[in-house]
Amino acid sequence: MSNREVGALSSGEAFDLLRNPYRRRLVMTLLDHNPEDEASIPGDLTTDDEELEEMLIAMAHTHLPKLESLDIIEWNREKNVVTRGPAFDELRPLLELIDRHQDELPDGWL
């Protein structure tokens, strides 16, 4: 866990986090995810094995560290498990708004 103060997530940081489709899908999955259920990568995020490999590399080297540095997630690298972090609830209202209105969003936004 970082030394970051919970409650310090700015609107700019929140929108920046959600700008990337991989990060957006991950945090949207954590919104309703039961930690006891096995999670899988949504099929519509990748089209082939090469793209899947690129996405996994980007997640491990860019997206998960960014979310972890802001305390949105906690990431157990040994077990490759991601759970909600202490600052996840700062992002929750925006995620719930997106979730409630996803049918109204343009194609490709989620």
Side-chain angles (χ1 to χ4, degrees):
M1 186 163 126
S2 74
N3 293 329
R4 185 177 166 82
E5 182 180 327
V6 174
L9 185 68
S10 72
S11 61
E13 287 173 318
F15 288 118
D16 182 56
L17 289 175
L18 298 177
R19 179 176 53 177
N20 180 276
Y22 298 143
R23 288 193 301 258
R24 189 169 53 246
R25 289 298 299 270
L26 175 65
V27 295
M28 291 298 293
T29 298
L30 288 174
L31 182 63
D32 294 319
H33 181 69
N34 178 349
E36 295 175 5
D37 295 339
E38 185 174 315
S40 61
I41 296 166
D44 60 344
L45 277 184
T46 61
T47 58
D48 57 33
D49 289 340
E50 184 176 320
E51 188 176 349
L52 175 62
E53 184 66 26
E54 289 174 13
M55 190 261 320
L56 292 173
I57 290 169
M59 287 296 280
H61 293 283
T62 303
H63 306 304
L64 292 175
K66 183 172 186 118
L67 290 165
E68 183 180 45
S69 73
L70 294 170
D71 289 330
I72 302 299
I73 65 164
E74 290 184 349
W75 178 25
N76 182 326
R77 288 168 174 80
E78 290 179 17
K79 296 181 180 179
N80 201 27
V81 172
V82 174
T83 56
R84 294 179 197 150
F88 183 86
D89 285 338
E90 294 178 49
L91 197 56
R92 181 185 294 275
L94 184 55
L95 298 175
E96 289 174 343
L97 182 67
I98 292 168
D99 187 51
R100 280 192 307 269
H101 296 281
Q102 62 184 306
D103 294 339
E104 300 166 40
L105 297 173
D107 290 341
W109 276 36
L110 294 180

